[in-house]
Amino acid sequence: MKLFSSSFGKTKKNKLAGFATTLIATLALAGGINSANATNLKTSTAQQITSASVQVEPTKSTFPRYQAAAVEPVVLIPIVLVGGLVIFVPLFFGGLVVIGEREVGIVVKKFTISGKGLPAGQLIALNGEAGLQADTLAPGWHWGYWPWQYSVRKETVIVVPQSEIALIVAADGESIPPERILGKIVDCDNFQDARKFLTHGGEKGRQMGFLTAGTYRINTALFKVITAANASSHGMSIEQLRVHTVASDKVGIVTTLDGMPISAGEIAGAVISGHDNFQNGQKFLDGGGRRGLQEQILLSGSWNLNPWFVNVEQVPMTEIPIGYVGVVISFVGKAQEDVSGAAFTHGNLVNPGHKGVWVEPLYPGKHPLNTRIMKVELVPTINIVLNWSGRTERHKYDANLEALTVRSKDGFAFDLEVSQIIHVGALDAPKVISRVGSMQNLVDNVLEPSIGNYFRNSAQDYTVLDFLNARSERQVEASEYIKAALRAYDVQAIDTLIGDIQPPATLMQTQTARKIAEEERKTYEVQQMAQTQRQQLVRETALADIQQEMVKSEQSVQIAELKAQAQIKQANGEAEATKLKAMAEAEGIRATGNAKAETYRTGVDALGTQGYTAMQIMQIIGDRNVRLIPDVLVGGSNGSTNGLVDGLLSMILWNQTNKTGEITPPIPNTPPVAQNGNSQLLVELPKDK
């Protein structure tokens, strides 16, 4: 800055000289006002006005009168002229420049007495050369800036609102090295001290540094300031000049645009400490930061970021649902150090922070991960059902699985539907992913061939009907085999289920006909049983209907039985009595007979046999009234047969007269006797009982 007293340097003496000059101008203005009230005041020349204005004593004596006197309109013209001269003289001859409170003065030096110019390639003067000056004018009065030598442009101070930033483009300074695209940050009071910027190695072009919320006095001749208000005129959007905000459920993936190239074989720059989340780009570069994708991420919050230095992409946090774990496959990090142990030979497992498959899975929740440098494979820890059929589960792992076509021992090909239930433990999930890469690969490359080949092989040992009839046994065998096979892949086989079996159509027709016949037979048997039961029901119903009669009958039977028993007992009693009576009679008869026999023997002994017999006959005839002469005597003589006819007629007559009761009937048990020829008398003796 060139002041009025630049020949004497910036000292107190120069400040006093400026103050004295100001005081003289003020007194001159006051003297001119007093002279305007005098009657003999001459206003023809500027020298008279000047001489009148420097009279100090009259000013002291007339100033009070001026305050009390009334100013006439005729006097206003001289006052304006005097005031204009008083103002013009300090400005023109004293080089006075007044800068407002919210302004900054940009100085341009038109020429120098020595004729010294700016060096080649330099835009801003640092040593008094002609041209744009590095130093600006602060608010206040500044002397020595004569109009013929200096041009002062007043610029409004730069105001950066809250939640915004301002970018800087330097018009002068050192050249930016070819390996960088932004000028380095130097200590220059936030670009308010242009001299410091240029003398401390500031570089021209886009700057790494930027302005945050506040008010700044910037030398706009050296620095172009890009704010949200003028962003569109510089090819930028308003959003780029706002404070970057990362949402609470997201992470910011950072890509830096400046720095050294990323090392060969890497896809992202390593984490650099001390740059305050990329807000201090210079510390990032000084710490060896690389341009391109970064391992470090931005978490939720507000960040002052230079859009020329970093690009931020907001992505959702990695969410691990309940029932799953996340196996991290990192593409960057420290060198691989396998921690899986000697027993695991199917891949490498590393600790978190290393490159490879992390041995520790991520459990359910939200995790702030850089998904550009690492991959998270979700592994379900719940039971998974895989269907070899037309049905697909929600997880879609079995979308490519179809029903198995197998061939039986008897040469029939048939379709077999199978469901396999598996489980992967949380701690086994990294091993599974390290071995096969993903759950889909596990299904396609392990489960599908293992289960398919087993059933194809086992089906050849059985006929179709045997396979159908012994389905449960085949299922148990398959479950045991598959459990052992999958255990080698760190997968637990929970169960193997055989679903629908579709045998050949011709075989099924035969089986269906046989089954129908068997079912019909069963139906007939059931119908027969139903009829039998129906008959039994009818019988039971009838029995129920005649139950009362049956009861009566039963009672009658019981009564009859009792009566029979009574009669039997009575008969037994009578028989016993008869038996006893008969025995008694027999004894009596025997005794009588014995007595008669004894009598007969005695009679025989006494009369002889014929005599006693004749006597007995005569006694019988007498006792029984036996007639010795018959009622009808039929006889014949000389060979004539009329005797028989006469006898018959006599008998008829006798019978009719016997019915009327006129003729005495013959002796009972004495039939008539007919005789032919000579009449004979036949007498039938009664038999002894």
Side-chain angles (χ1 to χ4, degrees):
M1 184 184 297
K2 186 72 175 176
L3 298 175
F4 174 74
S5 55
S6 59
S7 59
F8 301 102
K10 295 179 180 179
T11 61
K12 285 185 178 181
K13 186 181 291 184
N14 296 337
K15 293 181 180 180
L16 291 174
F19 177 74
T21 304
T22 304
L23 180 60
I24 293 172
T26 303
L27 294 176
L29 181 59
I33 294 173
N34 287 326
S35 299
N37 294 325
T39 58
N40 57 351
L41 180 62
K42 296 181 180 180
T43 60
S44 59
T45 63
Q47 293 179 352
Q48 291 175 342
I49 295 173
T50 304
S51 61
S53 63
V54 296
Q55 294 177 0
V56 180
E57 292 180 358
T59 301
K60 293 180 180 179
S61 60
T62 60
F63 188 71
R65 290 198 302 270
Y66 167 74
Q67 292 179 341
V71 181
E72 297 179 2
V74 181
V75 183
L76 290 177
I77 295 176
I79 293 175
V80 173
L81 293 176
V82 173
L85 290 174
V86 171
I87 295 173
F88 175 75
V89 169
L91 293 176
F92 187 77
F93 294 100
L96 177 62
V97 176
V98 180
I99 304 299
E101 293 179 357
R102 300 188 64 81
E103 294 178 337
V104 60
I106 309 300
V107 180
V108 179
K109 193 172 185 180
K110 299 178 181 179
F111 64 90
T112 59
I113 298 176
S114 62
K116 183 179 179 180
L118 289 172
Q122 187 174 338
L123 179 63
I124 304 299
L126 295 173
N127 300 314
E129 300 92 346
L132 294 168
Q133 302 299 303
D135 299 318
T136 58
L137 300 181
W141 289 18
H142 302 272
W143 300 92
Y145 291 93
W146 298 284
W148 61 82
Q149 187 178 12
Y150 295 95
S151 174
V152 179
R153 184 175 71 252
K154 298 179 181 179
E155 296 284 352
T156 304
V157 295
I158 302 298
V159 178
V160 181
Q162 293 292 330
S163 73
E164 292 183 8
I165 62 172
L167 303 178
I168 304 296
V169 179
D172 200 359
E174 299 178 2
S175 298
I176 298 175
E179 66 271 11
R180 290 189 289 105
I181 63 173
L182 298 178
K184 65 181 180 181
I185 297 176
V186 297
D187 183 13
C188 59
D189 191 17
N190 288 315
F191 303 101
Q192 295 181 106
D193 193 337
R195 181 176 293 277
K196 266 189 168 183
F197 176 83
L198 296 174
T199 56
H200 285 70
E203 298 169 343
K204 67 179 66 176
R206 292 182 176 182
Q207 299 298 303
M208 178 74 72
F210 53 90
L211 302 178
T212 57
T215 303
Y216 303 89
R217 295 196 301 271
I218 303 295
N219 187 341
T220 55
L222 175 60
F223 300 112
K224 181 189 298 182
V225 182
I226 303 175
T227 62
N230 61 2
S232 58
S233 61
H234 293 86
M236 301 190 70
S237 66
I238 296 177
E239 294 300 324
Q240 288 179 295
L241 296 172
R242 297 189 185 278
V243 175
H244 194 88
T245 301
V246 179
S248 59
D249 59 342
K250 294 186 178 182
V251 295
I253 297 178
V254 178
T255 301
T256 59
L257 306 177
D258 202 354
M260 298 296 294
I262 295 175
S263 302
E266 299 292 341
I267 64 171
V271 177
I272 305 298
S273 61
H275 55 78
D276 193 16
N277 291 298
F278 303 97
Q279 295 183 108
N280 191 330
Q282 191 60 48
K283 287 188 177 181
F284 175 83
L285 298 179
D286 294 342
R290 306 282 180 162
R291 74 177 65 182
L293 182 64
Q294 301 296 309
E295 290 186 33
Q296 184 177 349
I297 58 175
L298 293 179
L299 301 179
S300 61
S302 298
W303 312 99
N304 292 314
L305 302 176
N306 187 339
W308 290 336
F309 174 59
V310 293
N311 283 338
V312 180
E313 177 189 5
Q314 293 193 36
V315 297
M317 287 187 178
T318 301
E319 182 176 0
I320 309 298
I322 296 176
Y324 288 78
V325 295
V327 178
V328 179
I329 305 172
S330 179
F331 306 121
V332 299
K334 301 177 183 178
Q336 290 186 355
E337 294 181 3
D338 186 20
V339 296
S340 61
F344 186 76
T345 60
H346 306 283
N348 295 332
L349 299 177
V350 299
N351 288 321
H354 291 254
K355 184 184 297 185
V357 180
W358 289 4
V359 69
E360 297 178 4
L362 301 178
Y363 291 94
K366 290 188 176 181
H367 302 268
L369 299 179
N370 189 340
T371 54
R372 296 291 183 272
I373 63 171
M374 58 182 61
K375 176 184 177 183
V376 178
E377 187 70 27
L378 290 178
V379 177
T381 55
I382 57 176
N383 290 347
I384 304 174
V385 180
L386 302 173
N387 298 309
W388 276 259
S389 63
R391 183 178 60 185
T392 301
E393 298 294 332
R394 187 182 304 175
H395 49 65
K396 301 297 183 183
Y397 293 139
D398 55 355
N400 299 326
L401 301 180
E402 297 178 351
L404 300 174
T405 300
V406 298
R407 189 172 297 277
S408 63
K409 184 178 180 179
D410 48 358
F412 288 103
F414 60 94
D415 291 337
L416 178 64
E417 294 185 356
V418 178
S419 294
Q420 178 64 48
I421 304 174
I422 64 172
H423 172 74
V424 179
L427 298 179
D428 291 332
K431 295 180 182 179
V432 173
I433 298 303
S434 179
R435 181 194 294 262
V436 298
S438 66
M439 286 299 296
Q440 191 62 55
N441 291 342
L442 175 67
V443 175
D444 296 340
N445 302 332
V446 176
L447 297 177
E448 197 280 331
S450 298
I451 296 176
N453 288 338
Y454 170 77
F455 280 104
R456 292 185 184 96
N457 295 335
S458 63
Q460 294 179 354
D461 297 334
Y462 306 95
T463 64
V464 177
L465 296 181
D466 290 342
F467 202 95
L468 286 171
N469 296 331
R471 170 177 170 175
S472 58
E473 288 81 357
R474 304 292 82 79
Q475 181 171 292
V476 172
E477 294 172 358
S479 179
E480 295 299 327
Y481 174 84
I482 294 172
K483 281 182 181 179
L486 295 187
R487 186 66 264 177
Y489 293 91
D490 299 299
V491 178
Q492 301 176 20
I494 304 301
D495 201 358
T496 302
L497 306 174
I498 297 177
D500 188 19
I501 301 176
Q502 298 178 359
T506 55
L507 182 61
M508 284 305 300
Q509 290 177 357
T510 303
Q511 288 296 111
T512 301
R514 182 181 303 174
K515 188 67 176 178
I516 291 174
E518 183 179 354
E519 293 299 324
E520 288 179 349
R521 181 182 61 80
K522 291 181 180 180
T523 301
Y524 297 152
E525 291 178 355
V526 172
Q527 291 177 350
Q528 182 179 2
M529 292 177 61
Q531 292 298 330
T532 302
Q533 291 179 354
R534 180 175 174 275
Q535 293 175 1
Q536 185 176 0
L537 176 62
V538 172
R539 184 180 297 107
E540 294 294 332
T541 303
L543 290 176
D545 292 339
I546 64 174
Q547 187 67 31
Q548 184 175 1
E549 296 180 3
M550 290 180 63
V551 172
K552 291 181 179 180
S553 299
E554 289 178 356
Q555 296 297 326
S556 299
V557 170
Q558 291 180 358
I559 293 171
E561 289 179 352
L562 294 175
K563 288 181 177 181
Q565 292 178 0
Q567 291 177 357
I568 290 172
K569 290 182 178 181
Q570 183 178 1
N572 289 335
E574 291 178 353
E576 189 67 24
T578 302
K579 181 178 179 180
L580 294 175
K581 182 178 180 180
M583 291 175 64
E585 290 179 354
E587 290 294 329
I589 292 172
R590 185 180 295 109
T592 303
N594 290 332
K596 286 181 177 183
E598 186 64 29
T599 301
Y600 289 160
R601 282 191 298 269
T602 303
V604 169
D605 291 338
L607 297 180
T609 305
Q610 292 181 353
Y612 186 76
T613 303
M615 186 185 68
Q616 289 293 326
I617 293 171
M618 293 304 293
Q619 186 179 352
I620 293 170
I621 292 172
D623 292 336
R624 296 189 178 182
N625 297 318
V626 176
R627 290 180 299 179
L628 296 177
I629 298 173
D631 294 327
V632 179
L633 178 64
V634 179
S637 61
N638 300 320
S640 177
T641 58
N642 292 329
L644 179 61
V645 173
D646 294 336
L648 292 174
L649 291 175
S650 299
M651 288 293 296
I652 293 171
L653 180 63
W654 181 81
N655 288 333
Q656 289 181 352
T657 57
N658 186 38
K659 292 179 179 178
T660 60
E662 295 178 355
I663 300 176
T664 304
I667 300 171
N669 297 327
T670 305
V673 177
Q675 297 178 350
N676 290 323
N678 296 325
S679 298
Q680 295 180 358
L681 176 63
L682 297 179
V683 179
E684 183 180 359
L685 298 177
K687 296 179 180 180
D688 295 332
K689 293 181 180 179

